[in-house]
Amino acid sequence: MGFIMDGLDAEEYDRQYSDGELVKRIWHYFKPRRKLMLIVAFAIMADSLASTAIPITISWGVDEVERSGAGANLALPTLVLIGVGSIAWVFNLIRRWYSSRAIGDVVLSLREDAFNAVMDRDLSFYDRFPSGKIVSRVTSDTQAFTQVVDLTMNLLSQVLLIMLLIGYLFFVNVTLTLITLALAPLIIIVSLAFRNIARKTVTQSRRVAAEVNKHIQETISGIRVAKTFRQENAVYDEFSDVNHQSYKINLVTGYTFSSIFPILNLMAGFGTVALVYYGGLRAQAGTISAGEWFLFIQGIGLFWFPLTSIASFWSQFQLGLAAGERIFALLDAEPNVVQHDNVKPATIKGDITFENMTFAYKEGETVLDDFSLHIPAGQTMALVGHTGSGKSSITKLVARFYEFQSGKLLIDGQDIRSFHLEAYRKHIGFVTQTPFLFDGTVVDNIRYGKQEASTEEVFTVAQQVGGGDWIRTLPRGLHTEVGERGGNLSMGQRQLVALARVLLQNPSIFVLDEATASIDPLTETLIQEGLDVVMQNRTSIIIAHRLSTIRNADRIIVLDHGKIIEEGTHNQLLERGGHYADLYNTYFRHQSLDYIEQAGQLLA
Amino acid sequence: MQQSEFTVEDAYQYNQRGVFRWLWSHISRYRLLVIASVLFPVLDLGLYAMVPVFTGRAVDTVITGEGSLWRATLLVWAAMVGSGLSFWSTSLATETIAQHLAVDTREELYRSLLGKSQIFHDRQRVGDIMARATEDVFQLNLFVSPGLRFVTDTILGIVVPLLYIGLISPSLLLVPVIFVFTYIISVRRYASRLLPVIRNQRNQYGKMNSVLEESISGIEVVKASTQEWFERIRFGRNARWFRDLFVRQGQIEARYLPLLLFGIALGFTFLHSLWLWQQGVIGLAEIVAVMGLMNILKFPTFISIFSITLLQGGIAGAERILHIITADTDIDQNIEGHQAKIEGKLTFKDVTFHFGDGKPVLQSIDFTIEPGQTVAIVGQTGSGKSTLTQLVNRTYDVTEGSILVDGVDVRDWNIASLRSQIANIEQDIFLFSRSIRENIAFGMPDATTEMIEQAAQDAQAHNFISSFGEGYDTEIGDRGVMLSGGQRQRIALARAFLANPRILILDDSTSAIDSATEDEIQKAIGRIQEGRTTLLITHRLSQIRWADLIVVLDSGKVVGIGTHEDLLRTSPHYRRIFARYEIELPPLEELTPA
């Protein structure tokens, strides 16, 4: 079966919990709803007891009528029977009414916790694990967990019921009861054997579901590429493979689960038959009365059901436990970014110091090595250098998206690790390389960093960016729906929205990561003016690609393989004729007019 | 026949007119299993109902002392084992159908997704599609196993006991038959109350999943803006709505009436049978048998709570899946369409385009590009540049007018032939979470290693790829986050080099290249333009400057067209680009609009 499981390994943060640990974790969620759950368990039990009372009532009714002969009162047994049936119905009502609340609440809080855990992970987590699979854990696995809650309540009531029934059976006949109980261990052994198989197959099922999720998320997000390159067939074949893998695994799981109950039932059948025969012999011999024997046979049927239920529940339970294990692993995944203290800075000046820092995204691929840099508050600093020289890493470290391995990062002289993360980030405005917009209007998106801002504030800020000219080109102005990921807007428009977003947030430290790079020439000048407004009175770190930006910077840092190889102003560096001059010649010069005129020869 | 941009040749055709027909066309593919899953329950219940009858006989044997107890017990045992084995077989048969249904519908859904136009995909949220392909498909699974299985159990569980009761005494059928009628009426009312709630629940699940998917995809912005709390509230609200619908479902289920009706029917059946016994029509053993049979009737009554929820979950899920499959898509793959090697002549004839009912993105665009020409499209952000290029490979279709490739309307081209010769390097570069090699070879899965490396060389990507530990086999993280913008763009360029298209569309794509290899990339782009028609959207003045033709767009209209020199003299819009450079512009000539 190994080939079916290809590619379905555990994620790095997956772990195995002992049953004891799992129970403890689950109890944490059950505890606040334990009253509800107990009510439900009692209602289930009472419902079953009322159902149990039905054959007793019938036999009592028969006896009664037989005793009284022709003139018997038939209404009484009828009414009693109807009464018992109605009570059963009421208990069923109570049971369902409260169980949906108990289940709904447990799943909700588990889901919220899973979501919170996801939000708390730092970016290295997202680099490593496909988001489609994370999504799967938060919604799909929590959904599967529903079963655990439902089964727990059922199990509880079945255990109560079985104890009552055993008491009753002993009351009717001790020997026959002992024979019945002798069969129980066999059933327990079988169900325990099933448990292990069930857990294994179900874990595979959950994983393959995540795989399907991941595949769909990725291919649907990238469907445009598949279409332009006419590669639908390749994508489809790949999906087919995942889909069929899912089929095979789920079939195994399905067969396992649909076999448990029939097998246990067959075993119970043997037990019943043995009792019918043995009891019949005893009745014939006159050791027990025929009525007793009949009652016992009726009772035994009632006894098997909860017993086989408990046994099969235990396996079904695995379904939810496997899902639970995946959720708890997500909750327990160790964050890399760890804060030592919870200082909430009211204001930040924006003085940034890197001291002998070493940083790597992955072990063995060091990006910054023994890196030191001081950015005084209020300075506009431009980072230039080749791709992979560590520019983005510096900005991401300032935003505390990643943990560094050694050295120090001080903000206003304080260790960045000592801050309360959210309170600190409030002072940082970050415009990312590819601006990400959320489904909603432009206003919603600008307001994203400062939810309490009024619409007027949003309008003012939008006007400040690019002179507000761009708003005119939007179909419904600032109330235009941007679509998922901002798909209804052009890339330039998305960047303008992202800039307005930061401007509204009014941070002490402004980080701009290549953001102006793909804004068209006509908009660029306007953007530049907007940027000048944003950069006033705050520390700005710019990964610049525009000549105009770099010229305006107070200081330029030239990076190469994580090391500062030059620094100064644009003019100083140009005069020096070193690395920056080289970079300028190949990288920024093309934006100057001289270069544009020469480029014709290059392209020809 | 539905329009589609993509079809699979030997794909099984399902009936997509209506949820039930669709489900049936899926399920009926597995005829033998369907027959098995109907016959085995008949056998199961037939035998199961014999158990109390045989037990009654055993009682008789003991009371009367006639007949063999051993034989009576053996009959009970045989009935039990037979019923147990039939039950098991039913389980396996329905489970197999259920898993087939899940895999087949997901396949069908996925196929249809690949065939939908970009307009369709713009409207759909990825998280919701994911929910449909996993959780809604899972609902179909439950619909069959155990849903449909409960239905056969329910029907049999009603018919078989009634049959046996009728055999014992036809007049005893009175109460059970009345009960069955009231049961059907109240189950129908119950089901119609439940369905809307379940439908809402499925939709809410989709919404919750979309919110989650979006939060996770935009995590960098969420964190940078410290809006985790906002996302928490948003997700929490959606999760709570889902919970509320779940509770609502539970409350409807709680008030399930048939169980109460059953209790009453049981009482009256008892009354009736006691009365008949008083009359001497039936004996004691018959009462025991009849009441035992009535007890079997309890199962279908009780199980309907589950089965109706499962069935409606399946129906609601099927509706959601079918809704996507049958959603109109405006672009067809046009298999009979024109197929030829593209020369590269591109004509925009009075093209107007708008999304839905929005205001026009493009208006009356009219110009021609000769084969091999490089055309730069410039204009302010939002002026319609990207949309213009997306009309060429039919990512979208024009609203009015037409676009001709080599004189043939793009809508008359075979879409595979058209698209395979047009490469589009988009501004938002999408890389798959696979190796770099696979990403470059995306347009040409059978490319050799040499070809891939050559393409990477041409795109100036070979050096940085080689610097990675695993070279071309380096896996790119989720959505390619581990690469910088410049690196991503060069991989996209390599992809286009390998695909070797006749028409190339470069949409701002190389704008973020930030390395010192700028000159080489300029050369690479120069080289890739050779011998093919190129549409260029770029901020690089150097490339605009030397394009064969420059088209200036403003608010979806062409406001200038010509060469650099022409436009500097004639187009105020174009002059604005160069205004910030301290050079002397030629005097603006007043032209009569063409």
Side-chain angles (χ1 to χ4, degrees):
Chain A
M1 204 162 68
F3 67 95
I4 303 180
M5 310 303 182
D6 279 352
L8 287 181
D9 298 329
E11 302 271 19
E12 223 175 288
Y13 59 90
D14 267 322
R15 47 175 94 178
Q16 277 211 305
Y17 294 85
S18 70
D19 284 355
E21 271 175 288
L22 275 178
V23 167
K24 228 160 79 187
R25 297 298 292 266
I26 292 168
W27 175 240
H28 169 74
Y29 288 95
F30 285 0
K31 210 173 149 198
R33 288 111 197 150
R34 59 184 184 279
K35 275 190 197 144
L36 269 183
M37 294 180 71
L38 268 179
I39 292 175
V40 173
F42 272 109
I44 298 174
M45 189 186 66
D47 181 9
S48 314
L49 278 181
S51 310
T52 316
I54 288 173
I56 298 172
T57 315
I58 292 173
S59 84
W60 165 78
V62 173
D63 279 353
E64 200 68 2
V65 172
E66 192 182 17
R67 205 164 37 78
S68 324
N73 179 6
L74 301 184
L76 185 68
T78 307
L79 285 178
V80 171
L81 204 53
I82 291 175
V84 171
S86 306
I87 289 170
W89 182 77
V90 169
F91 280 120
N92 185 59
L93 186 144
I94 294 171
R95 164 208 181 159
R96 299 208 171 266
W97 193 277
Y98 290 111
S99 80
S100 68
R101 264 183 57 191
I103 295 172
D105 287 346
V106 167
V107 170
L108 177 63
S109 66
L110 193 62
R111 208 165 254 167
E112 283 177 337
D113 283 357
F115 186 80
N116 288 346
V118 167
M119 285 290 115
D120 286 343
R121 297 287 87 87
D122 54 72
L123 289 185
S124 61
F125 180 81
Y126 294 94
D127 293 345
R128 278 182 302 157
F129 306 111
S131 50
K133 286 190 176 183
I134 303 175
V135 167
S136 197
R137 285 192 199 226
V138 179
T139 49
S140 188
D141 284 312
T142 50
Q143 191 63 27
F145 191 76
T146 305
Q147 202 137 13
V148 170
V149 194
D150 199 19
L151 287 176
T152 306
M153 295 184 294
N154 268 300
L155 202 63
L156 211 60
S157 69
Q158 302 292 357
V159 170
L160 288 171
L161 193 65
I162 214 161
M163 290 192 315
L164 283 170
L165 274 168
I166 290 174
Y168 169 75
L169 290 176
F170 267 115
F171 175 74
V172 174
N173 189 294
V174 178
T175 327
L176 289 180
T177 307
L178 288 175
I179 294 173
T180 314
L181 288 181
L183 268 164
L186 207 63
I187 287 184
I188 291 166
I189 289 168
V190 171
S191 65
L192 280 180
F194 255 122
R195 169 190 173 273
N196 290 330
I197 305 169
R199 180 71 157 272
K200 219 178 273 169
T201 56
V202 159
T203 303
Q204 295 298 334
S205 281
R206 302 305 315 160
R207 283 184 192 160
V208 84
E211 193 70 34
V212 169
N213 234 338
K214 174 198 127 183
H215 192 94
I216 288 177
Q217 191 213 23
E218 190 170 290
T219 47
I220 298 308
S221 306
I223 198 151
R224 209 184 278 227
V225 184
K227 283 182 180 299
T228 46
F229 282 92
R230 221 37 226 170
Q231 284 308 304
E232 290 101 327
N233 260 318
V235 173
Y236 174 72
D237 287 346
E238 246 176 76
F239 175 77
S240 247
D241 289 348
V242 175
N243 200 23
H244 279 94
Q245 189 185 29
S246 137
Y247 166 72
K248 283 179 197 149
I249 289 173
N250 283 321
L251 199 63
V252 172
T253 309
Y255 280 175
T256 309
F257 280 96
S258 41
S259 299
I260 295 168
F261 206 71
I263 288 178
L264 290 172
N265 247 348
L266 278 173
M267 293 175 62
F270 280 105
T272 307
V273 167
L275 283 165
V276 168
Y277 186 64
Y278 181 74
L281 284 180
R282 299 277 303 270
Q284 275 179 332
T287 335
I288 55 170
S289 75
E292 248 185 298
W293 175 56
F294 177 65
L295 266 183
F296 201 87
I297 292 170
Q298 290 279 311
I300 203 83
L302 294 168
F303 175 74
W304 289 129
F305 185 70
L307 190 66
T308 49
S309 292
I310 291 173
S312 72
F313 280 175
W314 188 240
S315 307
Q316 309 255 352
F317 219 58
Q318 305 307 319
L319 212 120
L321 287 186
E325 199 167 50
R326 283 166 56 80
I327 302 161
F328 296 137
L330 181 65
L331 295 181
D332 296 344
E334 300 276 342
N336 287 329
V337 170
V338 182
Q339 297 303 94
H340 301 324
D341 206 347
N342 268 320
V343 180
K344 294 185 178 175
T347 52
I348 273 186
K349 283 185 292 174
D351 184 280
I352 304 167
T353 313
F354 287 80
E355 261 180 43
N356 311 98
M357 171 170 302
T358 308
F359 170 67
Y361 289 102
K362 259 202 301 202
E363 217 173 307
E365 290 178 23
T366 309
V367 180
L368 299 177
D369 190 16
D370 196 22
F371 181 80
S372 295
L373 172 69
H374 176 236
I375 312 167
Q379 190 173 69
T380 296
M381 192 197 72
L383 293 169
V384 297
H386 300 243
T387 305
S389 60
K391 303 185 301 274
S392 295
S393 306
I394 290 172
T395 61
K396 284 173 179 169
L397 285 167
V398 170
R400 191 85 181 120
F401 284 156
Y402 293 90
E403 182 61 276
F404 46 91
Q405 282 72 32
S406 71
K408 269 187 190 162
L409 177 51
L410 306 174
I411 308 294
D412 289 358
Q414 291 192 59
D415 189 340
I416 197 167
R417 289 174 172 143
S418 68
F419 293 120
H420 181 265
L421 213 49
E422 276 193 34
Y424 167 68
R425 284 202 189 126
K426 281 237 176 292
H427 300 289
I428 302 210
F430 205 100
V431 175
T432 48
Q433 221 162 31
T434 27
F436 186 96
L437 301 193
F438 295 89
D439 203 9
T441 65
V442 175
V443 173
D444 294 340
N445 272 286
I446 293 178
R447 197 183 269 149
Y448 191 74
K450 190 185 173 194
Q451 301 287 346
E452 67 278 13
S454 68
T455 311
E456 285 74 49
E457 274 182 86
V458 172
F459 273 73
T460 315
V461 157
Q463 289 295 334
Q464 277 172 283
V465 174
D469 225 22
W470 57 286
I471 305 167
R472 183 178 54 86
T473 62
L474 297 169
R476 284 175 189 83
L478 287 178
H479 296 294
T480 305
E481 290 284 336
V482 301
E484 190 166 51
R485 315 250 197 286
N488 295 350
L489 303 190
S490 75
M491 193 62 98
Q493 287 167 332
R494 282 183 237 172
Q495 285 177 342
L496 287 160
V497 173
L499 270 182
R501 185 190 276 167
V502 167
L503 202 55
L504 183 68
Q505 194 193 335
N506 192 22
S508 310
I509 299 173
F510 171 61
V511 179
L512 181 67
D513 189 354
E514 291 192 322
T516 57
S518 48
I519 285 184
D520 58 89
L522 288 172
T523 319
E524 200 207 323
T525 323
L526 305 172
I527 276 284
Q528 190 55 51
E529 288 163 13
L531 271 181
D532 288 344
V533 179
V534 177
M535 293 189 297
Q536 258 169 33
N537 305 320
R538 50 187 128 233
T539 310
S540 304
I541 306 175
I542 317 284
I543 299 175
H545 300 285
R546 325 293 307 161
L547 190 56
S548 46
T549 321
I550 215 164
R551 270 191 187 141
N552 292 343
D554 298 327
R555 179 177 170 208
I556 298 166
I557 300 285
V558 185
L559 280 177
D560 185 47
H561 293 99
K563 295 224 184 311
I564 299 173
I565 49 173
E566 259 181 359
E567 61 173 290
T569 64
H570 173 70
N571 290 333
Q572 286 169 353
L573 289 171
L574 264 194
E575 271 170 39
R576 196 176 301 165
H579 300 280
Y580 178 77
D582 282 349
L583 266 181
Y584 172 81
N585 278 330
T586 47
Y587 172 41
F588 292 101
R589 192 168 48 86
H590 70 274
Q591 293 173 34
S592 71
L593 209 64
D594 298 343
Y595 178 80
I596 293 162
E597 291 305 320
Q598 290 162 21
Q601 287 109 53
L602 205 65
L603 291 174
Chain B
M1 175 70 202
Q2 231 205 317
Q3 303 230 76
S4 175
E5 291 183 28
F6 169 72
T7 49
V8 172
E9 239 166 64
D10 48 358
Y12 191 91
Q13 293 302 321
Y14 299 101
N15 186 338
Q16 296 169 346
R17 281 167 303 173
V19 174
F20 291 101
R21 281 183 208 171
W22 180 64
L23 283 171
W24 176 242
S25 73
H26 267 279
I27 293 168
S28 59
R29 273 185 81 177
Y30 305 98
R31 203 150 286 147
L32 277 179
L33 288 171
V34 172
I35 292 169
S37 63
V38 172
L39 284 186
F40 278 117
V42 173
L43 202 62
D44 175 11
L45 240 115
L47 290 168
Y48 186 71
M50 293 306 284
V51 173
V53 175
F54 288 145
T55 312
R57 265 192 217 171
V59 176
D60 266 350
T61 313
V62 172
I63 291 173
T64 59
E66 288 165 21
S68 148
L69 176 65
W70 183 81
R71 260 184 60 191
T73 319
L74 194 67
L75 280 175
V76 174
W77 179 79
M80 277 187 151
V81 169
S83 137
L85 288 177
S86 309
F87 178 84
W88 197 354
S89 308
T90 315
S91 297
L92 295 185
T94 50
E95 192 57 44
T96 313
I97 299 176
Q99 298 297 352
H100 270 301
L101 178 67
V103 74
D104 293 344
T105 48
R106 198 182 286 136
E107 192 118 1
E108 191 189 355
L109 172 66
Y110 194 81
R111 210 161 48 224
S112 88
L113 284 172
L114 286 175
K116 301 291 181 200
S117 70
Q118 193 57 43
I119 293 224
F120 171 88
H121 285 290
D122 289 347
R123 276 199 308 257
Q124 292 302 322
R125 304 186 64 179
V126 181
D128 188 52
I129 299 263
M130 285 162 78
R132 288 178 210 241
T134 52
E135 283 300 310
D136 286 321
V137 163
F138 182 60
Q139 295 298 319
L140 295 187
N141 204 324
L142 294 178
F143 173 85
V144 174
S145 172
L148 279 186
R149 175 168 171 197
F150 283 160
V151 172
T152 44
D153 283 355
T154 303
I155 295 170
L156 291 169
I158 290 171
V159 172
V160 173
L162 289 188
L163 221 62
Y164 279 87
I165 291 174
L167 284 177
I168 291 168
S169 161
S171 67
L172 263 179
L173 277 175
L174 177 70
V175 180
V177 166
I178 293 173
F179 162 70
V180 169
F181 272 112
T182 52
Y183 162 82
I184 290 170
I185 292 165
S186 82
V187 157
R188 286 183 63 159
R189 285 192 48 197
Y190 167 79
S192 67
R193 265 205 312 274
L194 197 61
L195 185 60
V197 177
I198 287 185
R199 253 190 209 132
N200 288 340
Q201 214 181 104
R202 297 312 322 147
N203 287 332
Q204 185 54 36
Y205 187 91
K207 273 186 206 148
M208 176 175 76
N209 214 49
S210 321
V211 166
L212 170 68
E213 198 273 338
E214 194 181 38
S215 307
I216 291 178
S217 300
I219 191 71
E220 204 173 350
V221 178
V222 173
K223 285 191 171 291
S225 321
T226 60
Q227 291 303 312
E228 289 99 330
W229 66 274
F230 177 71
E231 295 303 316
R232 278 184 187 134
I233 291 171
R234 205 157 68 110
F235 178 78
R237 193 170 52 213
N238 276 282
R240 177 159 288 278
W241 284 336
F242 181 77
R243 175 254 178 215
D244 290 348
L245 286 164
F246 181 78
V247 171
R248 180 96 199 85
Q249 175 196 334
Q251 290 172 346
I252 292 175
E253 283 173 353
R255 283 171 300 186
Y256 176 72
L257 209 55
L259 268 182
L260 185 62
L261 296 175
F262 174 77
I264 295 167
L266 193 69
F268 282 109
T269 310
F270 192 44
L271 178 69
H272 194 189
S273 57
L274 284 178
W275 184 74
L276 286 177
W277 174 69
Q278 266 185 340
Q279 305 295 308
V281 180
I282 57 170
L284 200 69
E286 272 88 10
I287 296 187
V288 173
V290 166
M291 294 315 285
L293 287 165
M294 275 305 278
N295 223 22
I296 295 179
L297 209 56
K298 187 187 177 178
F299 177 75
T301 316
F302 172 74
I303 207 69
S304 296
I305 303 186
F306 291 106
S307 54
I308 287 168
T309 302
L310 293 174
L311 291 182
Q312 297 195 324
I315 291 167
E319 281 170 350
R320 277 168 54 77
I321 295 166
L322 196 60
H323 182 77
I324 296 280
I325 292 176
T326 57
D328 274 332
T329 180
D330 8 48
I331 295 177
D332 188 67
Q333 61 180 0
N334 202 0
I335 294 172
E336 262 93 68
H338 184 71
Q339 292 189 48
K341 188 171 182 296
I342 291 179
E343 289 299 319
K345 181 168 171 170
L346 202 53
T347 314
F348 288 80
K349 252 169 118 177
D350 205 20
V351 170
T352 295
F353 175 78
H354 48 81
F355 291 104
D357 51 0
K359 71 180 182 191
V361 180
L362 294 170
Q363 273 181 67
S364 315
I365 306 289
D366 212 74
F367 66 90
T368 299
I369 306 169
E370 295 303 324
Q373 271 194 334
T374 295
V375 177
I377 300 166
V378 297
Q380 202 172 337
T381 187
S383 58
K385 303 180 304 258
S386 302
T387 313
L388 184 73
T389 60
Q390 284 166 342
L391 296 176
V392 178
N393 73 351
R394 295 191 71 199
T395 298
Y396 303 108
D397 262 347
V398 298
T399 313
E400 279 166 49
S402 57
I403 294 173
L404 314 176
V405 168
D406 291 350
V408 179
D409 192 319
V410 285
R411 285 167 293 190
D412 296 331
W413 275 83
N414 171 308
I415 208 157
S417 172
L418 180 77
R419 284 189 182 161
S420 63
Q421 299 182 72
I422 300 175
N424 193 345
I425 302 182
E426 304 223 330
Q427 44 186 346
D428 189 6
I429 287 161
F430 187 90
L431 300 180
F432 295 92
S433 309
R434 298 174 204 170
S435 68
I436 290 177
R437 177 191 309 281
E438 286 169 279
N439 269 288
I440 294 177
F442 188 71
M444 205 191 250
D446 48 356
T448 63
T449 302
E450 289 75 46
M451 289 160 77
I452 291 168
E453 286 186 15
Q454 184 57 46
Q457 296 266 13
D458 291 342
Q460 306 298 326
H462 180 74
N463 284 344
F464 82 79
I465 295 171
S466 307
S467 76
F468 293 138
E470 287 152 270
Y472 283 82
D473 294 317
T474 306
E475 292 282 332
I476 298 174
D478 193 30
R479 293 261 300 171
V481 284
M482 299 299 275
L483 293 181
S484 76
Q487 291 169 331
R488 297 166 68 95
Q489 281 161 334
R490 274 178 280 168
I491 287 179
L493 261 178
R495 203 186 255 172
F497 266 111
L498 190 63
N500 192 23
R502 301 300 310 145
I503 296 177
L504 177 72
I505 297 166
L506 268 166
D507 188 346
D508 245 1
S509 55
T510 51
S511 59
I513 286 183
D514 59 348
S515 77
T517 51
E518 180 71 23
D519 278 354
E520 278 72 33
I521 286 171
Q522 292 266 7
K523 277 185 216 158
I525 290 176
R527 194 178 320 149
I528 204 168
Q529 290 170 10
E530 271 169 33
R532 49 188 130 233
T533 308
T534 308
L535 280 174
L536 212 56
I537 300 177
T538 177
H539 76 290
R540 279 202 177 73
L541 293 177
S542 53
Q543 295 187 357
I544 299 172
R545 171 69 186 81
W546 296 106
D548 297 313
L549 186 71
I550 301 162
V551 177
V552 187
L553 283 182
D554 184 51
S555 301
K557 289 182 200 142
V558 176
V559 292
I561 189 162
T563 62
H564 177 68
E565 284 82 12
D566 293 343
L567 290 169
L568 271 188
R569 274 182 285 112
T570 58
S571 168
H573 280 91
Y574 190 73
R575 284 163 64 95
R576 269 173 61 194
I577 302 173
F578 289 85
R580 66 197 168 93
Y581 296 99
E582 291 139 13
I583 56 159
E584 288 197 17
L585 295 173
L588 184 65
E589 294 169 13
E590 285 300 324
L591 277 189
T592 44

